[in-house]
Amino acid sequence: MKWLWVPLAGYFALPLVATAVLSLWQGTRGYGFAAYVTLIHTPEMWNSLFLSARLAVETIIAGLVILVPAVFWMNLRLQRLRPVFDFLSVLPLVVPAISLVAGITAIYTGPDWLVGTANFLVIPYVILALPFTYRALDVGMRALDLRTLTEAAQSLGASWPSMIMRVLVPNLITALLGAALLTITIVIGEFTFANILLFNTFAVYINHIGSTSATQAAALSLLAFLLTWLAMLGVALGGRRAAR
Amino acid sequence: MISLEAVSLRKVYGSRTVLADVSLALAQGEFVSLLGPSGCGKTTLLRLVAGFERPDGGQVRLDGRDIIGVPAAKRNMGMVFQAYSLFPNMTAEENVGFGLRVRGEATEARRKRSREMLELVALGEHMHKYPHQLSGGQQQRVALARALAIRPALLLLDEPLSALDARVRVQLRDEIRRIQREIGVAALFVTHDQEEALSISDRVAVMEHGRIAQLGEPAAIYEEPESLFVARFVGQMAEFDAEVDGGGVRIAGHTLPAARAAGHAPGQRVHFFLRPEHVRLVEPAAGLPGLVESRTFNGPTTTFRILLEGAGRVLATVPTVEARHAPGETVGITWDPSAPRILKLDGGAPPPDA
């Protein structure tokens, strides 16, 4: 089976290597970092990256504030609703993004700070991140003996908020971290919503630059890829630290 | 003085009655065990007292005050769970101090109390360890220290020893009793292990199908079972259908000594119970003859299974130093006339397969 690694590694590595080579191509001036230098000096790139980062943070906060109590309660008291939760959580994976965006724009009207700005994207992003956030939290909570811990805290005099903040959240750090990092990768890479709703997020900018400068697009894709991998590495390391 | 009083507690899940009219009172400093097979309602009773469940009827009074409406967090009861109840993110010391922390007690006082409690359970030097660095027995000691740190009005123990191995179980069992006596707090202890219940309790409540079948001191439960269920559930007994015959009973054509038969009308059908340790082995002619079927070595004692012609089997446990018989031998069995327990045929419901 050892020989299988060669084509497999090539299958994954070749596109990356090709992208890297293209990003370093300077036409008649040979190879160099010109594309990267130009990118770094492009304010639009930074603006789009910051926008995506801000949306990621907002999505993480909104997602966790909704899901931590919901998954906690489901695990503690509503076990029989688990199939419903499981079904709901995979819906965003089954429903195409395009139909989501059409539905959401039709339904949501509201104050200008929400509908008129990129903050509006947080709503679909929370939905898009739902399968991953839900899974991460559910796995984290199932690993704990939630009922016993809750009752122990109660019998010692802890109120619900005190129980959630002092016992539940500290024991879910790995799960929360995993959910957060997965959300970041989703938000950074999301294109359909942002593009249709005309917001200049990182993914939209990558697409835009792709139609103007092939080498810069290659460079940016590579950076985005790196960012995603760092996030994944974060999940893996966080998981290992908690498993010690 | 009465500490805890449960009055006519009822609990129903759907069509299943888990507790049917259970009343129980604990005196100050008393240690009472709830003993019974799984599904008898003992844990439900404990959870009603703790406030994790609400009863469908009845009252729970603590020091004379009705606490049914009081949430678990405000009942001030220390509870020790079966296992895995320590907060994994906190050290032993932080675990023990948790109850005081949520009560807003000052850091110094909290630390002092936590250390005292950990010393009490002999874990002073482990106070900076996390639960996963402690053995199962140590974890349960921390859980006990944590339950006691809040100066509880009542100590609740939900099978705290069932997840431990035999040696640690006995050791911790005695320690729980010692500490409970030292502090003087009343304790309610749930267990399905009769040896545990009989060895550490002031009183034992044997439960069956959501009712207390018998409540009494351990010796009374063991020696004087009042119902068929208790007789069959607690300890081992040989059981025969018998007929009262004067000062004894008739079993399979033999008239046998049983002082307690005197209380029943002659000719009445009864159950005859005999504990293995009351059976003496003698020469075949000097007692009821039987065939030794098997011999089991228990260490200090040896148990013989003896087939009695036409009546059934009886177990005889004798000190190993006196155990001379081998399987296949014919022996005679005899007993002190005061030893057998006689119960009427309708003396309680038969137990579920146990």
Side-chain angles (χ1 to χ4, degrees), chain A residues 151 154 156-157 166 170-171, chain B residues 47 52 73 77 89 101 103:
Chain A
E151 289 179 353
Q154 277 184 302
L156 290 166
R166 282 175 169 156
N171 284 306
Chain B
R47 294 175 60 79
F52 297 138
M77 293 184 182
N89 59 314
R101 199 169 124 207
R103 280 169 173 71

Side-chain angles (χ1 to χ4, degrees), chain B residues 311-328:
Chain B
R313 290 177 175 81
V314 67
L315 293 177
T317 298
V318 301
T320 295
V321 289
E322 293 166 18
R324 293 170 282 109
H325 304 282

